[in-house]
Amino acid sequence: MMENLAMKAAEATPAPVDATASAGTGGEIDTLVPGTVDVLPILPLRDTVLFPDTIMPLSIGRESSLRMLEQSLSQSKLLGLVLQKDKDSDNPTLEELHEHGVIGRVIRMIRQDSGVVILVRGEQRMRIRKVVQQEPFMKAEVEMLSSVLSDKEDDLAEAAVRNLRESAGKLLSLRPEISDEVKGLFATIDNASTLTDILAANLSIETEAKQKLLEETHVGRRVAALEVHLGNQLHIADLQNKLRENVSSEFSEAQKRAYLREQLRAIQKELGEDGSGEEQVEDIRQRLEKAGLPEKAKVQADRELKRLEVIPPQSPDHSVIVNYLETIAELPWNVLSDEKVDLRKAQEILDRDHYGLLKVKKRLIEYLAVRKLNPAGRGPILCFLGPPGVGKTSLGQSIAEALGRKFARISLGGLRDETEIRGHRRTYIGSMPGRLMQELKRLGTRNPVLMLDEIDKLGADFRGDPASALLEVLDPRQNQEFTDRYIDVPFDLSQIIFIATCNTLDTIPAPLRDRMEIVELSGYTEREKLSIAKSYLVKRQLSEHGLTEDQCTWSDEAIERVIEDYTREAGVRNLERQIASVTRHVAASVAKEEITQAHVTPGMVREALGPAAFVRESKLQTSVPGVVTGLAYTTAGGEVLHIEAIRFPGKGGFTLTGQLGDVMKESVRAALSLVRSRAVQLGIDPESFDKNEVHVHVPAGAVPKDGPSAGIAMFTALASLFTNRPVSKDVGMTGEVTLRGLVLPIGGLKEKSIAALRAGLKTILIPKLNEKDVPDLPEEVRQRLKIIPVETVDEVLAAALEPAADKA
């Protein structure tokens, strides 16, 4: 009852309508003259009666009503509001509506997810004369009605109005929840018609009774009818007041709270709101107790629970606190997976899932052995370094299986937002914990194996530096009190086994790299790829494509053809894709019943995969002065590079092409300076450098090339060019050179040697300081390649150059 009284007070100074939420764009003031006829859109009301001089919010959900608001409010904010006879009818006709209603003015419109809410002020009684439009919404011709006063203002009419006012005052006095401000406001209403309309709108009477009061235009008869309704309301309120006084002294504090909660539930039910807030708070409290929170987390959770109890469910902060407390309750504060370290079983799992990688497996068994002897120890953070497709991620899965722990993979590739690691601060709706906390909540354990994949591809921008955020995560001495910004209390990460993977170390910041122990996984030789394909890949693809080993067999030559002509990688991921393509080709023929079994040959591989996708760089067919075969290391494994140098008459210019990086450009210039400084020793006319232009080119110009290992190859190419002595076509080389002619060590020797073997080379020159790495090379490489360690460029030229070519 008191809402409309308060709105009546605000009517004299209407609140400004927000431009984004107001109903329509029309701003004209429509004049309502009793007796006039106008055409208005009709808004049917299910169980509500609006009276003149009152303001009421209406929830709009019907499609026709929404369409009517969209189309008509831009022209006029006036609507005809009429009670429908059957409240369950969704599209009432004229016969299903009451004849009398009220003309309302929309003063505010608010869009919500469930529909639209409009705030309407009753302006004038009206009567529908005829319908002029039914679809898409109803429009009708309406006649505006006015309230009729008594024929003469005698003492009897005045006494009736005063009686009504006194009865209303008594009702207000029996309602303790009504403020004195509202009671004083009621006393200021002088107009009898306005008084009756406001009382009729707020009395707790049946909707049909309210409709009769709306249809009554004679003020005197409305006063008499309202006096009867007020008498009934006074009798009920008086009884409630006596009952309240009788039982109030008997209420304990707990009973009072229970009574108030029941009242709150009843109010929320009438308002159509969810009344399960108390149950929700109690459910969260029980879940928090079961979670076994540490002391700091428990204090924080209790503080948030107290806030949740006093915040209404409609408040945005309510959902934020609920999400936070549910996250706290779901985190595995004290849940640990049972760990059983069986080294024999671990070795079997590693051998089952991975071919070769003996050095890596040995290191992992040592790692697990230490875990067995000292379960509470803080072991190192392992980082698997190697090209794509060599089995880095699957090694992490094998470790988890061997330990009996749960496994999760967090991809860090392209991650630029620090909050993905540390979490968002709880200062806005939509904040969430970081990826680590999310994975722990999903796994439900505090000691899983977490794979931090592609850690070398982390980025950094205005949103922070994720690599710096990982410093705390990956420090065994600090991460027992890791604080996620969303959780805002310390969480122990020390029991997690972190395993990182990367393709290169160059892009990992030095402090982060220092936190980890690097375990290198090199690429596979072609013989190893053949064994992997026969032992793992072919069987897996046959199973995935619904074929048996009797229906489809592979020859070694077919697998070798796939390796040589259709893959170009250090790992075996693309090899498996190509095997899958051939297997699909066979599966389609079997499914069509064209064949019952197939033996895959090189011809069938070409039929399924088409022409060869790659033409590998192979050894030189002929020895030419100025052309050298270098060895390079890429993120996809080793490759051979043919470095070409030519000279022609000019003024001593120098040209570099082939999209070389800064390091390789410096290597070429250093090599040229070294050749010029040794011109007499090499038998080169010093003046030839000033009379000739030199052009050094590395083919495949669209591929960027850089790295500190091309020095001796550049030196050899220039020395070969100016001495006119070709380099042996069977020789490849790698190593950096100094201006003193010393050969410096390089990395990626295994990948480079595999590339040399694949290209058909017979001899490779490596730095003397890399001789210690030779025992780690694959046995096939050591058997089929002649490996010559060199310490100076003189040894390089002695091993690589052929006798001088005859001059024409």
Side-chain angles (χ1 to χ4, degrees), residues 488-717:
D488 205 25
V489 289
F491 191 92
D492 187 2
L493 302 181
S494 61
Q495 296 300 311
I496 300 175
I497 294 180
F498 289 102
I499 300 176
T501 71
C502 64
N503 299 132
T504 178
L505 295 176
D506 298 338
T507 56
I508 302 177
L512 181 58
R513 188 165 64 244
D514 184 60
R515 295 284 199 278
M516 303 180 292
E517 177 186 337
I518 307 301
V519 179
E520 293 191 32
L521 285 78
S522 302
Y524 298 109
T525 65
E526 294 190 0
R527 186 178 298 275
E528 288 175 331
K529 289 183 181 180
L530 176 62
S531 299
I532 292 171
K534 291 168 62 178
S535 302
Y536 301 96
L537 306 184
V538 170
K539 293 179 180 178
R540 184 158 61 206
Q541 290 306 314
L542 289 177
S543 174
E544 291 183 2
H545 289 81
L547 297 174
T548 65
E549 295 185 17
D550 294 332
Q551 291 175 304
C552 181
T553 57
W554 283 70
S555 66
D556 290 356
E557 293 79 8
I559 298 176
E560 290 172 351
R561 180 63 58 199
V562 175
I563 295 171
E564 293 174 3
D565 293 348
Y566 299 95
T567 62
R568 190 174 188 177
E569 58 176 348
V572 293
R573 185 174 294 136
N574 196 44
L575 172 60
E576 184 170 9
R577 292 195 191 100
Q578 300 302 334
I579 290 175
S581 298
V582 178
T583 307
R584 283 196 302 272
H585 179 75
V586 174
S589 299
V590 172
K592 295 176 183 177
E593 300 182 353
E594 296 174 354
I595 58 175
T596 57
Q597 60 181 7
H599 180 67
V600 180
T601 62
M604 187 177 293
V605 169
R606 181 177 178 84
E607 179 183 349
L609 300 180
F614 297 106
V615 178
R616 293 189 177 275
E617 293 280 4
S618 59
K619 69 175 184 178
L620 298 170
Q621 299 301 314
T622 58
S623 298
V624 180
V627 180
V628 174
T629 302
L631 303 177
Y633 174 70
T634 69
T635 56
E639 292 290 346
V640 297
L641 294 176
H642 295 319
I643 299 171
E644 303 174 347
I646 61 172
R647 61 174 177 167
F648 46 88
K651 299 181 179 181
F654 188 69
T655 303
L656 294 175
T657 55
Q659 201 172 161
L660 306 182
D662 292 338
V663 176
M664 287 192 71
K665 290 178 181 178
E666 292 174 0
S667 296
V668 178
R669 295 186 182 279
L672 179 61
S673 298
L674 185 58
V675 172
R676 295 188 69 166
S677 68
R678 296 178 174 234
V680 176
Q681 180 181 343
L682 295 174
I684 303 172
D685 182 6
E687 296 183 358
S688 62
F689 293 102
D690 299 324
K691 296 179 180 179
N692 290 278
E693 301 276 346
V694 177
H695 186 166
V696 176
H697 177 65
V698 181
V703 180
K705 309 169 190 71
D706 202 8
S709 63
I712 63 172
M714 296 296 181
F715 172 81
T716 304

Side-chain angles (χ1 to χ4, degrees), residues 195 511 606 743:
L195 176 65
R606 181 177 178 84
V743 180

